[in-house]
């Protein structure tokens, strides 16, 4: 077929209505810009309203500013604990999801029990059990002539915190991973089987790379939640944001100031996290865009 | 063209498949000779897709025996097929799906060589060379580094064919390879299949493309309610079917197509 | 990022490495005192939530030559009466004072699993705590008081019977209010009958709730006189009821469930504290930090009445 006289879309030279296209595009751009401006205005108004309300509180904003350096030193601790925990939680969640999807009754049983037990109990209690309880179990091992295991079960505050957050979030993320893995069409698994791939290869080369893309936004969400939940580890004396804000507040009885400061820091961190998550998401979906 | 003295490459005996109490395959037996092109026709629900999928162990047969090349699997009712046996028989067959099922996160070439690298453990360069050969065979070498999302349906299916060919199976199974395609894209896929047939590839094809069946098939097999009703050369089955059921199917099929 | 699953795998492997292996073993010691001397540090638990006994210092750079472990704090990061005392005790033991800051409930509950050696954190000696902990000779006494809103008509402590009284839960105030407080060797006169106890994590939020108005959330707060008076100085509209109450003797505490025998350390620290009473060191700290003498009364305490060993 001769295509030379068929009009191609977006062909400036041969399209007599080219001007119309340009006008429509301009209108579209203007609308988009106007929307962005209105959106920014709403945000600004809300921020201003929030600031106004906060200023009605009996607070001394300058106090918070003056003491922010000390609290900000906790940011690295909070991020470090959260990053380590989300990583370990990811391992646990993957294992949990594989267990739940497994045909083995043992694996399914263990995974189901893990998720049910951990989701059914408060994080704070899990932290106490790991920090206080594990060493006592370790003591029993030590008493039976296994001091190595005893020492291994006596975790310091940071390790206990990371373990508790990991175990806790691993349980929630198990369901995310399960759903993510199941969201990959059955045809993918069949195609992989048809070229003779084994279960492990199918999972690692075909299912997970695709599931990760589905899961990343949810992991990002969990990471944001975790940054805030990580404040619970302060009970073990870890000097993260909440601990520093709280203990500093006691010195001069400036609770509201320091809590607002901590809240602002957390908020900023989560904004950065969701931005990073969006960036990662876009990178991963590269192969899926035309 | 099949030679009469050669040993069949596929041998299926008394194959049964139950889905709960639905008896989809009811004792199917047939053979396929080397280089033969076998086309399976039948109405939907007749069991032709299930038959293909049982040959590849994507569905576990309920009973019967399957021999493909040197691999033989015998299924006793109520027993599971050993996983290693299932993989062995899969390596004897290649499957082309209606929905292509390309791996969307891999380029065309990566799709084609995935099995060579992970299953056959070939070094990457060697696998890539084989992959390029088969991409070339389906006319898509220029698209080697393109992800599936940037390919048309016909191109996707041709990559899928190359992926199956790359594993160098004894027999290629096609499960309605053109049913998900826009009409103008069907031709390029059928062309590739026609060329494979001419080169002597053993194929089993489930399709509704009667012109393909009459042009390319060595034998047409009509399946109804899980049994083979009749089989023979396309001229015989398509033009003058012996069995009333085949005749009714072909008549209604041609009417609905408006041919 | 051609292969996300590989990246994921690497992350997973790294993550599992972060989780701990074994901790380095310390040289075997016959008892806790020897262990502390060998190590060269006394690990002290304190909660810097109670100025002027213990509070944080901002902007401290850690000295390079400190023997304190990475997850421990150095003395310079705190200031207060408890800290002065703790640092001096460590100095007289010939070791460096290092601090950890677990939650108060984790300190009083015992079962420290050898994570720290001693608590020098204004812990009052009670019969309940003696189940889990050994106490040293007290280094100061607590002076407790009841506070009401300045608009409150209440004039005497007895009038608070049946009223809503806030205090930190798990502290001695709770036991005083429900009349279960028992201090070995002391006959306590309980002044309030059947109050409605409102528990708080720590004292200051209770005072802030009381400051919201008479009876809004609380009718009164029971707390240490230092904390209460401090809050009045800082502007809370509160008033102290007379008389003040003294039943609490604050000593160093050591977990009974230690792997090695803790008793020699407890006795040694007790001797040091006694010496600090006698040479006036503690009184100097008291005048420095509290502005009044809250150590001299401790000298009358009879440690032997506790019958700890």
């Amino acid at each position: 077929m001769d295509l030379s006289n068929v009009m191609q879309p977006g062909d400036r030279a041969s399209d007599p209505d080219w001007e119309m296209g340009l006008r429509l595009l301009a209108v579209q751009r203007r609308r988009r810009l106007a929307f962005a401006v209105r959106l920014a205005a709403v945000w600004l108004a809300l921020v201003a309203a929030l600031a106004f309300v906060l200023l009605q509180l009996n607070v001394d904003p300058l106090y918070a500013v003056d003491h922010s350096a000390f609290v900000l030193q906790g940011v690295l601790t909070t991020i470090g604990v959260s990053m380590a925990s989300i990583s370990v939680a990811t391992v646990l969640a993957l294992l949990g999801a594989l267990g739940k999807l497994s045909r083995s009754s043992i694996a399914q049983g263990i995974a189901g029990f893990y998720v049910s037990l951990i989701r059914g109990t408060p994080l704070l209690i899990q932290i106490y059990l790991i920090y206080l309880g594990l060493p006592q179990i370790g003591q029993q091992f030590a008493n039976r002539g296994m001091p190595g295991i005893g020492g291994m079960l006596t975790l310091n505050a940071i390790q206990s915190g990371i373990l508790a957050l990991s175990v806790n979030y691993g349980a929630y993320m198990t369901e995310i991973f399960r759903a993510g893995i199941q969201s990959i069409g059955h045809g993918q698994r069949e195609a992989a089987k048809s070229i003779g791939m084994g279960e492990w290869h199918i999972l690692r080369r075909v299912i997970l790379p695709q599931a990760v893309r589905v899961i990343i936004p949810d992991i990002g969400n969990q990471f944001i939640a975790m940054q805030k939940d990580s404040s619970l580890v302060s009970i073990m004396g870890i000097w993260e944001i909440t601990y520093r804000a709280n203990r500093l507040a006691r010195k001069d009885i400036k609770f509201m100031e320091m809590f607002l400061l901590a809240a602002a820091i957390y908020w900023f961190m989560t904004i950065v996290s969701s931005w990073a998550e969006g960036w990662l998401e876009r990178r991963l979906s590269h192969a899926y865009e035309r | 063209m099949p030679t009469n003295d050669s040993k069949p490459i596929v041998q299926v005996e008394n194959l049964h498949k139950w889905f709960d109490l639905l008896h989809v395959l009811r004792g199917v037996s047939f053979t396929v000779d080397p280089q033969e092109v076998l086309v399976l026709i039948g109405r939907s629900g007749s069991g032709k897709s299930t038959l293909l999928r049982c040959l590849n162990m994507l569905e576990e047969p309920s009973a019967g025996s399957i021999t493909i090349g040197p691999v033989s699997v015998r299924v006793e009712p109520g027993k599971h097929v050993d996983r290693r046996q299932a993989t062995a028989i899969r390596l004897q067959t290649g499957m082309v799906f209606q929905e292509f099922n390309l791996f969307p996160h891999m380029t065309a070439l990566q799709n084609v060589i995935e099995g060579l690298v992970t299953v056959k453990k070939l070094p990457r360069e060697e696998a890539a060379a084989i992959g390029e050969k088969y991409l070339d065979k389906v006319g898509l070498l220029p698209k080697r580094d393109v992800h599936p999302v940037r390919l048309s349906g016909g191109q996707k299916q041709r990559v899928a064919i190359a992926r199956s060919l790359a594993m160098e199976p004894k027999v290629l199974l096609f499960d309605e390879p053109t049913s998900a395609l826009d009409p103008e894209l069907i031709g390029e896929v059928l062309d590739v299949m026609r060329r494979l047939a001419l080169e002597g590839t053993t194929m089993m094809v489930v399709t509704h493309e009667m012109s393909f069946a009459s042009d390319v098939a060595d034998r047409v097999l009509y399946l109804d309610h899980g049994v083979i009703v009749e089989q023979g050369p396309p001229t015989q089955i398509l033009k003058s079917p012996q069995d009333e059921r085949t005749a009714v199917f072909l008549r209604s099929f041609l009417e609905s197509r408006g041919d | 990022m051609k292969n996300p699953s590989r990246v994921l795998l690497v992350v997973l492997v790294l993550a599992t490495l972060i989780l701990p292996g074994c901790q380095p073993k310390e040289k075997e010691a016959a008892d806790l005192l020897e262990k502390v001397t060998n190590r060269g540090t006394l690990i002290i638990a304190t909660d810097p939530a109670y100025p002027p006994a213990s509070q944080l210092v901002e902007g401290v750079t850690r000295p390079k030559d400190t023997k304190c472990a990475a997850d421990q704090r150095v003395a310079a990061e705190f200031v207060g009466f408890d800290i002065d005392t703790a640092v001096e005790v460590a100095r007289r033991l010939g070791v460096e004072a290092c601090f950890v800051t677990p939650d108060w409930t984790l300190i009083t509950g015992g079962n420290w699993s050898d994570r720290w050696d001693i608590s020098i954190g204004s812990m009052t000696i009670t019969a309940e705590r003696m189940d889990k902990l050994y106490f040293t000779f007290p280094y100061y006494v607590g002076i407790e008081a009841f506070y009401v809103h300045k608009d409150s008509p209440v004039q005497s402590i007895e009038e608070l019977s049946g009223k809503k009284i806030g205090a930190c839960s798990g502290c001695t105030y709770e036991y005083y209010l429900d009349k279960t407080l028992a201090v070995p060797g002391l006959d306590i006169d309980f002044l309030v009958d059947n109050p409605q106890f409102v528990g708080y994590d720590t004292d200051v939020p209770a005072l802030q709730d009381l400051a919201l108005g008479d009876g809004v959330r609380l009718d009164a707060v029971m707390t240490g006189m230092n904390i209460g008076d401090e809050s009045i100085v800082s502007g809370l509209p509160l008033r102290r009821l007379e008389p003040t109450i003294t039943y609490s003797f604050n000593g160093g505490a050591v977990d009974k469930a230690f792997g090695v025998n803790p008793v020699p350390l407890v006795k040694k620290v007790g001797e040091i504290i006694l010496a600090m009473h006698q040479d006036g060191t503690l009184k100097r700290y008291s005048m420095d930090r509290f502005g009044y003498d809250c150590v001299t009364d401790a000298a009358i305490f009879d440690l032997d009445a506790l019958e700890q060993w």
Side-chain angles (χ1 to χ4, degrees):
Chain A
M1 190 164 51
D2 183 17
L3 291 176
S4 59
N5 58 356
V6 175
M7 201 110 59
Q8 293 295 306
D11 183 356
R12 168 169 229 161
S14 59
D15 192 337
D17 297 322
W18 186 253
E19 286 301 316
M20 189 202 291
L22 287 180
R23 271 205 309 282
L24 288 174
L25 186 64
V27 169
Q28 211 176 49
R29 282 203 183 133
R30 253 199 322 277
R31 281 202 190 123
R32 253 186 242 144
L33 183 67
F35 182 82
V37 168
R38 281 200 299 273
L39 196 62
V42 171
W43 268 76
L44 272 178
L46 288 175
V47 168
L50 183 62
F52 178 77
V53 170
L54 293 181
L55 286 173
Q56 304 311 302
L57 301 173
N58 182 19
V59 292
D60 174 6
L62 281 182
Y63 182 90
V65 173
D66 286 346
H67 296 78
S68 56
F70 183 77
V71 179
L72 281 169
Q73 283 171 33
V75 169
L76 274 186
T77 310
T78 294
I79 291 180
V81 167
S82 304
M83 294 259 244
S85 304
I86 202 87
S87 309
V88 181
T90 304
V91 182
L92 293 174
L94 179 57
L95 293 178
L98 294 182
K100 280 212 145 187
L101 295 172
S102 149
R103 267 181 291 183
S104 145
S105 53
I106 296 172
Q108 231 185 72
I110 292 173
F113 183 78
Y114 162 61
V115 171
S116 166
L117 177 70
I118 299 300
R119 289 207 304 189
T121 51
L123 174 57
L124 187 61
I125 291 175
Q126 291 162 9
I127 291 176
Y128 276 123
L129 284 178
I130 285 170
Y131 189 69
L132 292 177
L134 275 189
Q136 292 180 31
I137 296 166
Q139 194 59 45
Q140 297 298 319
F141 278 108
N143 292 345
R144 285 170 173 74
M146 288 169 279
I149 299 177
M152 218 151 67
L153 290 179
T154 304
L155 305 179
N156 68 28
I158 291 266
Q159 292 164 339
S160 303
I162 290 174
L163 183 62
L165 284 169
S166 305
V167 167
N168 185 272
Y169 275 70
Y172 286 94
M173 286 162 60
T174 290
E175 291 302 324
I176 294 173
F177 272 64
R178 188 187 54 75
I181 288 172
Q182 282 184 326
S183 77
I184 305 307
H186 203 59
Q188 291 291 312
R189 176 173 286 277
E190 290 193 340
K193 272 186 184 171
S194 80
I195 53 172
M197 290 172 77
E199 287 295 331
W200 165 242
H201 275 137
I202 295 178
L203 180 75
R204 201 169 77 72
R205 310 262 318 165
V206 177
I207 304 296
L208 279 187
Q210 298 182 63
V212 160
R213 193 174 142 260
V214 181
I215 291 169
I216 280 282
D218 289 313
I219 295 183
N221 248 337
Q222 295 291 313
F223 183 60
I224 283 172
M226 186 183 270
Q227 283 171 32
K228 292 170 288 167
D229 270 355
S230 71
S231 65
L232 286 175
V233 304
S234 66
I235 61 164
M236 294 175 293
I238 297 174
W239 288 25
E240 41 67 77
I241 296 169
T242 306
Y243 184 90
R244 285 167 175 270
N246 178 300
R247 289 304 189 270
L248 204 57
R250 285 162 193 269
K251 199 170 79 175
D252 298 316
I253 317 190
K254 296 282 189 187
F255 282 89
M256 198 57 93
E257 286 82 354
M258 296 319 281
F259 286 156
L260 287 176
L261 174 66
I265 294 172
Y266 280 115
W267 192 17
F268 181 75
M269 282 169 53
T270 59
I271 288 173
V272 172
S273 304
S274 37
W275 176 83
E277 185 271 313
W279 176 83
L280 195 60
E281 204 182 324
R282 279 194 299 282
R283 278 208 66 162
L284 286 178
S285 56
H286 180 70
Y288 297 80
E289 280 152 9
R290 274 178 166 276
Chain B
M1 281 288 118
T3 44
N4 288 335
D5 53 12
S6 67
K7 220 173 132 234
I9 201 157
V10 176
Q11 228 171 334
V12 173
E13 268 167 54
N14 201 21
L15 193 68
H16 287 265
K17 176 64 187 174
W18 292 83
F19 288 114
D20 294 330
L21 278 181
L22 194 63
H23 201 173
V24 181
L25 295 178
R26 304 196 279 178
V28 174
S29 304
F30 65 94
T31 61
V32 183
D33 290 324
Q35 308 201 338
E36 191 180 8
V37 175
L38 187 69
V39 168
L40 284 85
I41 58 172
R43 44 184 102 246
S44 62
S46 60
K48 51 195 193 312
S49 277
T50 306
L51 176 56
L52 225 51
R53 292 163 59 80
C54 279
L55 292 186
N56 206 354
M57 294 290 155
L58 288 179
E59 299 293 353
E60 193 176 32
S62 303
S65 75
I66 298 170
T67 305
I68 300 177
V71 184
S72 217
V73 177
R74 173 159 203 94
V75 188
E76 303 293 342
K79 296 248 172 71
H80 281 301
V81 177
D82 179 74
R83 198 178 278 189
R84 233 170 304 156
Q85 268 191 313
T87 306
I89 209 153
R90 266 178 208 143
L91 286 174
Q92 302 297 318
T93 62
M95 184 85 164
V96 176
F97 300 88
Q98 182 177 341
E99 302 287 348
F100 334 129
N101 294 342
L102 288 183
F103 306 130
H105 55 298
M106 300 181 191
T107 63
L109 185 65
Q110 285 168 344
N111 263 282
V112 175
I113 67 172
E114 180 61 26
L116 299 175
V117 174
T118 56
V119 180
K120 291 197 170 170
K121 311 276 182 214
L122 294 188
R124 257 205 130 70
E125 304 80 52
E126 199 180 320
I130 298 174
E132 283 173 359
K133 183 177 100 189
Y134 284 106
L135 270 182
D136 196 29
K137 206 182 202 43
V138 298
L140 286 175
L141 191 52
K143 300 282 187 188
R144 49 167 284 170
D145 294 325
V146 170
H147 280 93
V149 73
R150 295 189 188 81
L151 296 174
S152 74
Q155 290 171 332
K156 280 184 204 166
Q157 193 59 298
R158 283 149 68 197
V159 173
I161 292 171
R163 178 173 66 182
S164 297
L165 285 173
M167 296 301 285
E168 290 168 351
K170 294 279 187 322
V171 52
L172 264 188
L173 311 174
F174 291 84
D175 188 5
E176 305 201 23
T178 57
S179 299
L181 295 175
D182 290 338
E184 76 271 19
L185 300 176
I186 292 176
E188 60 185 82
V189 173
L190 292 182
D191 283 347
V192 167
M193 291 168 66
R194 224 171 249 128
R195 207 164 342 120
L196 291 176
L198 284 177
E199 287 170 8
T201 313
T202 313
M203 311 202 295
M204 285 182 66
V205 184
V206 170
T207 188
H208 296 297
E209 295 294 327
M210 293 304 166
S211 61
F212 176 84
S214 66
D215 291 356
V216 184
D218 297 308
R219 187 152 48 109
V220 173
L221 202 142
Y222 177 70
L223 213 66
D224 189 80
H225 288 100
V227 284
I228 297 173
V229 170
E230 66 175 317
Q231 51 179 310
T235 41
Q236 179 200 319
I237 302 292
L238 299 178
K239 297 290 185 288
S240 48
Q242 305 298 299
D243 194 289
E244 184 55 26
R245 285 168 290 182
T246 317
V248 169
F249 166 72
L250 285 170
R251 221 167 23 245
S252 65
F253 186 80
L254 292 177
E255 276 163 16
S256 71
R257 279 289 169 108
D259 287 356
Chain C
M1 191 127 350
K2 271 198 184 131
N3 192 338
S5 80
R6 183 166 300 169
V7 176
L8 186 75
L9 214 74
V10 171
V11 170
L12 303 194
V13 169
L14 285 179
T16 40
L17 292 181
I18 294 169
L19 267 193
C22 300
Q23 275 127 352
K25 279 210 95 158
E26 280 165 358
K27 209 173 104 196
E28 285 298 327
D31 61 60
L32 187 57
L33 178 59
E34 196 184 319
K35 197 171 155 186
V36 167
T37 325
N38 287 348
R39 199 200 298 133
T41 60
L42 180 66
I43 306 170
I44 304 145
T46 190
D47 187 355
Y50 301 96
S54 172
Q55 69 181 47
L56 294 178
V57 177
E58 293 168 76
V60 173
T61 40
R62 208 180 154 89
K64 285 207 168 56
D65 59 345
T66 181
K67 288 188 201 144
C68 301
D71 60 348
Q72 294 162 9
R73 301 280 155 183
V74 296
E77 295 180 78
F78 309 89
V79 64
F81 179 76
D82 285 344
I83 307 302
D84 293 341
T85 308
V87 169
E88 181 62 14
V89 165
R91 197 187 68 79
R92 293 190 188 192
L93 280 172
V95 297
E96 185 182 353
C98 301
F99 292 86
V100 291
T101 60
D103 207 53
W104 181 239
T105 52
L106 294 175
I107 301 175
T108 55
N111 289 310
W112 297 348
S113 306
D114 295 4
R115 286 176 173 123
W116 55 86
D117 302 317
I118 191 168
S119 151
I120 299 181
S122 305
M123 195 191 291
T124 301
I125 301 168
T126 66
E128 292 81 7
R129 288 174 181 162
M130 284 174 58
D131 283 347
K132 303 268 185 191
L133 307 172
Y134 288 121
F135 282 97
T136 70
F137 192 82
Y139 58 97
Y140 81 111
V141 297
I143 302 174
E144 326 299 344
F146 283 90
Y147 290 83
V148 292
H149 194 269
K150 77 176 162 27
D151 301 336
S152 169
V154 172
Q155 293 301 329
S156 75
I157 296 173
E158 284 81 358
E159 289 171 54
L160 292 174
S161 295
K163 295 263 168 75
K164 275 184 293 188
I165 302 179
C168 73
S169 45
C171 300
T172 53
Y173 311 125
E174 182 178 355
Y175 309 131
Y176 180 88
L177 291 171
D178 65 18
K179 299 191 177 180
T180 56
L181 182 69
V183 177
L186 188 74
D187 212 6
I188 302 172
D189 187 14
F190 297 103
L191 298 176
V192 186
D193 288 321
N194 300 318
Q196 302 169 45
F197 174 72
V198 182
Y200 286 81
D201 243 9
T202 50
D203 306 50
V204 179
L207 289 165
Q208 288 181 324
D209 271 5
L210 180 62
L212 294 175
D214 182 33
V216 173
R217 286 189 186 158
L218 296 173
D219 297 309
V221 166
M222 187 181 185
T223 183
M225 189 180 79
N226 49 357
I227 299 171
D229 282 8
E230 179 84 9
S231 73
I232 292 174
V233 171
S234 76
L236 294 188
L238 307 178
R239 174 162 56 85
R240 190 175 77 213
L241 295 180
E242 295 297 335
T244 59
I245 296 158
T246 294
Y247 55 74
S248 50
F249 297 87
N250 303 328
V254 178
D255 187 11
K256 282 184 172 177
F258 258 103
V260 290
N261 180 16
V263 174
L265 177 75
V266 182
K267 287 184 171 164
K268 180 73 186 167
V269 173
E271 285 163 21
I272 291 173
I273 286 172
L274 210 51
M276 286 166 69
H277 275 298
Q278 284 157 4
D279 64 18
T281 309
L282 284 170
K283 184 163 178 192
R284 186 154 47 80
Y285 293 159
S286 170
M287 297 310 291
D288 254 17
R289 301 295 183 193
F290 293 110
Y292 53 88
D293 176 6
C294 56
V295 301
T296 303
D297 285 353
I300 59 162
F301 190 78
D302 181 11
L303 189 69
D304 294 334
L306 302 186
E307 294 178 344
Q308 294 191 101
W309 21 76

